[in-house]
Amino acid sequence: MKDALSFESVTKKYGEFTALDNVSLDIKAGEFMTLLGPSGSGKTTMLMTIGGFVEPSAGHVTLDGQRITHLPPENRNFGLVFQGYALFPHLTVWENVFYPLRVRGMRKAEAEPKVRDVLDLIQLSHLAERFPKQLSGGQQQRVALARALVFSPELLLLDEPLSALDRALRKDLQRELKDLHERVGTTFIYVTHDQEEALSMSDRIAILRDGQIEQLGTPSQLYEKPSSIFVANFLGKSNFVPVDDLTVEGGEVRYSVGQDRFRLSRGDMSIPQSGELSLALRPERLTLYANHKDAPENCIAGKVVKVTYFGQLYEAIVSTQAAGDLLVTVDLAQNEPRIGDQVWLGWAIDSGVILAGRPVESDDAYAG
Amino acid sequence: MQGDMAITSRSSLLGKDAAYWGMVLLPAVFLATLYLVPVISVMVRSVTEPTLGLDNYAVILENKAIQNVLGKTVYICAVTTALTLLFGYATAYAMCRMPEREQRLMFFLVILSFWISVLIRTFAWIAVLQPQGLLNDILIGIGIIDRPLRLVRNDLGVIIGMVHYMLPYAILPLFANMKTIDPTLVPAARALGATPRKAFMTVFLPLSLPGLAGASILVLIFSSGFYITPALLGGGKVVMIAEYISVQMSETLKWGLATSLATVLMLVVLALTIAMSRYMDIGDTGKKA
């Protein structure tokens, strides 16, 4: 697949503050690329640089190999959906969707079939004569999408488009957006701080932190093989266990936590070997066993100290001697864990990732 | 039980209403006696003095001098309103785009002019604009002109003074309205393919119309009643309706004519207010709650 849009060592400074720090990224034609990060990480600056509203201090943005770094927004032919939708309140739904065609010099009669088509696509043809304030949040969102798609843009840029909606509606619209992406085939560049949204919709995710790309990959790559404690913490929940000693022997890693020794099959992971190390273990990769003989080779003894019921699963906190408190999810097919149970926590030898550093207190996924 | 509760809540509601009516009662009495009564008496006098009938209004329609004064008033008011809106719009627009701190400073500067009385300001303008005044001295000094420009004791002087006085009255409602326009709308228009000019014309300008209507009505009404500024900066050559009425009242003692002119002025202002108020309340300007 060819690259649609590329960042070439883009830096953006606002006075002393560096919003983007030497960022390079290639976005493929037709892909759903998500820029994910906490607020202030540079994701919106990145999107606005693509949109033409922010001029980089250094570096270039290219589209199909052409430099567009200094091209004004109106000459880029990109659709942009703002966080608050930015629908024109003095225009009807129809006129809002017609707007991009109108500024391109198209007459109403000429534009009518195009506007119809895209309103049909989002199933809002029956509300064409309404004004934006007469629509629900979800409907406004869909009008904003229609307006950004009607002129067949080369890219669709979306700036946290679902953040103003309630949870149930957000789920529906996530599915609709994903579906829309498949149908129109346009490259989507999506900015969000919601990790769940990013995981469920994206082809690839770039995780941003302090103006740099911390990790780039498919959702499962990022979730299963995070390259840093920051990523492991930002995507989903994770336990971090301090690793005391570590040796690599071919395809196998041996590590110890306190007195206990464990094994990890290395796969294609790069293992940091110096400095402080942590083992990142997802709660769903841990299994509770009543007896030691049932538990796998990697296991650790502990006591259940807290159980929370979530409908589709339980979350239990198990206190261990060597590894501290560990969060574990227990599905309903297993026995309900009870506070005070003496248990064994086991994990497979291909579970867990060795990462450099130790989590800082506030990064603790399940604390607080 | 339920019925009792309903009655209690209703009576307390009525009690609250009564309290609110009480609050507006005093100002209502004040306005009725000191404002409405004189206005009605002006209207009555216009058809009773010196004799019962519409003679005074016939004079207004026939008298050449009065028509000149009315024409001058309309002309000065129209030019003043147009210039005030133009400068006021530009200032308010710039203020909207300033950072919070600068915005507050600008706001203060706009309000500041309210502190200086119109009389002092008018004399200050004479000092600045007269043939041996500050502006002409500077212009001659740097060699742009070699003879003083006639900047005062004419229409130009009156308009300069009036625009200066009216600017805050245009800036404040325009600024208040522009602050309610969602700041992402213009960038959205740009992203959809509009040039900055087109984005302004198709999005920002239509959404600022309520503010523009409000400002224009305020400026137009105020300027139609201007008295001191045209009298001083016009140097007796620019007579507007308010000054003419005053002369009829205090010098020629034609109260009937004065009151009928005042009535005409009032009705014109009322008609303008009703006409413009249609544009003032188009409601939502897109700002999120």
PDB file of all heavy atoms in Angstrom, chain A residues 8-20:
ATOM      1  N   GLU A   8       7.711  14.391   7.822  1.00  0.00           N
ATOM      2  CA  GLU A   8       9.166  14.242   7.730  1.00  0.00           C
ATOM      3  C   GLU A   8       9.816  15.138   8.768  1.00  0.00           C
ATOM      4  O   GLU A   8       9.899  16.349   8.588  1.00  0.00           O
ATOM      5  CB  GLU A   8       9.634  14.623   6.320  1.00  0.00           C
ATOM      6  CG  GLU A   8       9.141  13.656   5.252  1.00  0.00           C
ATOM      7  CD  GLU A   8       9.423  14.154   3.832  1.00  0.00           C
ATOM      8  OE1 GLU A   8       9.978  15.263   3.688  1.00  0.00           O
ATOM      9  OE2 GLU A   8       9.070  13.431   2.894  1.00  0.00           O
ATOM     10  N   SER A   9      10.234  14.531   9.860  1.00  0.00           N
ATOM     11  CA  SER A   9      10.928  15.247  10.949  1.00  0.00           C
ATOM     12  C   SER A   9      10.258  16.567  11.300  1.00  0.00           C
ATOM     13  O   SER A   9      10.880  17.617  11.301  1.00  0.00           O
ATOM     14  CB  SER A   9      12.386  15.540  10.579  1.00  0.00           C
ATOM     15  OG  SER A   9      12.980  14.394  10.060  1.00  0.00           O
ATOM     16  N   VAL A  10       8.964  16.501  11.570  1.00  0.00           N
ATOM     17  CA  VAL A  10       8.215  17.727  11.840  1.00  0.00           C
ATOM     18  C   VAL A  10       8.386  18.153  13.301  1.00  0.00           C
ATOM     19  O   VAL A  10       8.215  17.350  14.211  1.00  0.00           O
ATOM     20  CB  VAL A  10       6.717  17.547  11.521  1.00  0.00           C
ATOM     21  CG1 VAL A  10       5.921  18.752  12.014  1.00  0.00           C
ATOM     22  CG2 VAL A  10       6.514  17.343  10.028  1.00  0.00           C
ATOM     23  N   THR A  11       8.766  19.412  13.484  1.00  0.00           N
ATOM     24  CA  THR A  11       8.867  19.997  14.818  1.00  0.00           C
ATOM     25  C   THR A  11       7.974  21.217  14.877  1.00  0.00           C
ATOM     26  O   THR A  11       7.898  21.976  13.909  1.00  0.00           O
ATOM     27  CB  THR A  11      10.329  20.402  15.119  1.00  0.00           C
ATOM     28  OG1 THR A  11      11.118  19.215  15.157  1.00  0.00           O
ATOM     29  CG2 THR A  11      10.444  21.123  16.458  1.00  0.00           C
ATOM     30  N   LYS A  12       7.258  21.387  15.969  1.00  0.00           N
ATOM     31  CA  LYS A  12       6.470  22.601  16.161  1.00  0.00           C
ATOM     32  C   LYS A  12       6.738  23.143  17.549  1.00  0.00           C
ATOM     33  O   LYS A  12       6.558  22.446  18.550  1.00  0.00           O
ATOM     34  CB  LYS A  12       4.971  22.313  15.988  1.00  0.00           C
ATOM     35  CG  LYS A  12       4.079  23.530  16.238  1.00  0.00           C
ATOM     36  CD  LYS A  12       4.334  24.630  15.212  1.00  0.00           C
ATOM     37  CE  LYS A  12       3.654  25.919  15.605  1.00  0.00           C
ATOM     38  NZ  LYS A  12       3.952  27.001  14.652  1.00  0.00           N
ATOM     39  N   LYS A  13       7.206  24.386  17.587  1.00  0.00           N
ATOM     40  CA  LYS A  13       7.474  25.015  18.884  1.00  0.00           C
ATOM     41  C   LYS A  13       6.549  26.197  19.080  1.00  0.00           C
ATOM     42  O   LYS A  13       6.329  26.963  18.132  1.00  0.00           O
ATOM     43  CB  LYS A  13       8.923  25.501  18.944  1.00  0.00           C
ATOM     44  CG  LYS A  13       9.898  24.368  19.073  1.00  0.00           C
ATOM     45  CD  LYS A  13      11.306  24.863  19.271  1.00  0.00           C
ATOM     46  CE  LYS A  13      12.182  23.637  19.337  1.00  0.00           C
ATOM     47  NZ  LYS A  13      13.460  23.719  19.789  1.00  0.00           N
ATOM     48  N   TYR A  14       6.039  26.345  20.262  1.00  0.00           N
ATOM     49  CA  TYR A  14       5.316  27.559  20.654  1.00  0.00           C
ATOM     50  C   TYR A  14       6.167  28.224  21.729  1.00  0.00           C
ATOM     51  O   TYR A  14       6.092  27.836  22.898  1.00  0.00           O
ATOM     52  CB  TYR A  14       3.936  27.231  21.206  1.00  0.00           C
ATOM     53  CG  TYR A  14       2.982  26.648  20.193  1.00  0.00           C
ATOM     54  CD1 TYR A  14       2.720  25.289  20.175  1.00  0.00           C
ATOM     55  CD2 TYR A  14       2.326  27.461  19.273  1.00  0.00           C
ATOM     56  CE1 TYR A  14       1.839  24.749  19.253  1.00  0.00           C
ATOM     57  CE2 TYR A  14       1.462  26.935  18.350  1.00  0.00           C
ATOM     58  CZ  TYR A  14       1.211  25.575  18.344  1.00  0.00           C
ATOM     59  OH  TYR A  14       0.340  25.049  17.432  1.00  0.00           O
ATOM     60  N   GLY A  15       6.978  29.182  21.339  1.00  0.00           N
ATOM     61  CA  GLY A  15       7.893  29.788  22.299  1.00  0.00           C
ATOM     62  C   GLY A  15       8.834  28.719  22.834  1.00  0.00           C
ATOM     63  O   GLY A  15       9.539  28.066  22.079  1.00  0.00           O
ATOM     64  N   GLU A  16       8.812  28.523  24.157  1.00  0.00           N
ATOM     65  CA  GLU A  16       9.684  27.536  24.777  1.00  0.00           C
ATOM     66  C   GLU A  16       9.106  26.134  24.686  1.00  0.00           C
ATOM     67  O   GLU A  16       9.809  25.142  24.798  1.00  0.00           O
ATOM     68  CB  GLU A  16       9.903  27.890  26.265  1.00  0.00           C
ATOM     69  CG  GLU A  16      10.738  29.119  26.493  1.00  0.00           C
ATOM     70  CD  GLU A  16      12.170  28.912  26.031  1.00  0.00           C
ATOM     71  OE1 GLU A  16      12.874  28.081  26.628  1.00  0.00           O
ATOM     72  OE2 GLU A  16      12.571  29.565  25.043  1.00  0.00           O
ATOM     73  N   PHE A  17       7.789  26.069  24.470  1.00  0.00           N
ATOM     74  CA  PHE A  17       7.106  24.777  24.514  1.00  0.00           C
ATOM     75  C   PHE A  17       7.217  24.051  23.181  1.00  0.00           C
ATOM     76  O   PHE A  17       6.939  24.611  22.126  1.00  0.00           O
ATOM     77  CB  PHE A  17       5.638  24.989  24.881  1.00  0.00           C
ATOM     78  CG  PHE A  17       4.828  23.734  24.892  1.00  0.00           C
ATOM     79  CD1 PHE A  17       5.035  22.774  25.869  1.00  0.00           C
ATOM     80  CD2 PHE A  17       3.860  23.512  23.910  1.00  0.00           C
ATOM     81  CE1 PHE A  17       4.285  21.612  25.871  1.00  0.00           C
ATOM     82  CE2 PHE A  17       3.117  22.340  23.917  1.00  0.00           C
ATOM     83  CZ  PHE A  17       3.330  21.398  24.894  1.00  0.00           C
ATOM     84  N   THR A  18       7.653  22.797  23.227  1.00  0.00           N
ATOM     85  CA  THR A  18       7.749  21.997  22.010  1.00  0.00           C
ATOM     86  C   THR A  18       6.533  21.093  21.925  1.00  0.00           C
ATOM     87  O   THR A  18       6.386  20.153  22.701  1.00  0.00           O
ATOM     88  CB  THR A  18       9.034  21.151  22.016  1.00  0.00           C
ATOM     89  OG1 THR A  18      10.135  22.038  22.181  1.00  0.00           O
ATOM     90  CG2 THR A  18       9.193  20.407  20.702  1.00  0.00           C
ATOM     91  N   ALA A  19       5.631  21.397  20.984  1.00  0.00           N
ATOM     92  CA  ALA A  19       4.395  20.610  20.855  1.00  0.00           C
ATOM     93  C   ALA A  19       4.648  19.345  20.050  1.00  0.00           C
ATOM     94  O   ALA A  19       4.088  18.292  20.337  1.00  0.00           O
ATOM     95  CB  ALA A  19       3.312  21.449  20.194  1.00  0.00           C
ATOM     96  N   LEU A  20       5.505  19.455  19.026  1.00  0.00           N
ATOM     97  CA  LEU A  20       5.884  18.275  18.239  1.00  0.00           C
ATOM     98  C   LEU A  20       7.402  18.271  18.143  1.00  0.00           C
ATOM     99  O   LEU A  20       8.020  19.270  17.809  1.00  0.00           O
ATOM    100  CB  LEU A  20       5.290  18.337  16.825  1.00  0.00           C
ATOM    101  CG  LEU A  20       3.781  18.162  16.688  1.00  0.00           C
ATOM    102  CD1 LEU A  20       3.388  18.303  15.229  1.00  0.00           C
ATOM    103  CD2 LEU A  20       3.341  16.823  17.238  1.00  0.00           C
TER     104      LEU A  20
END
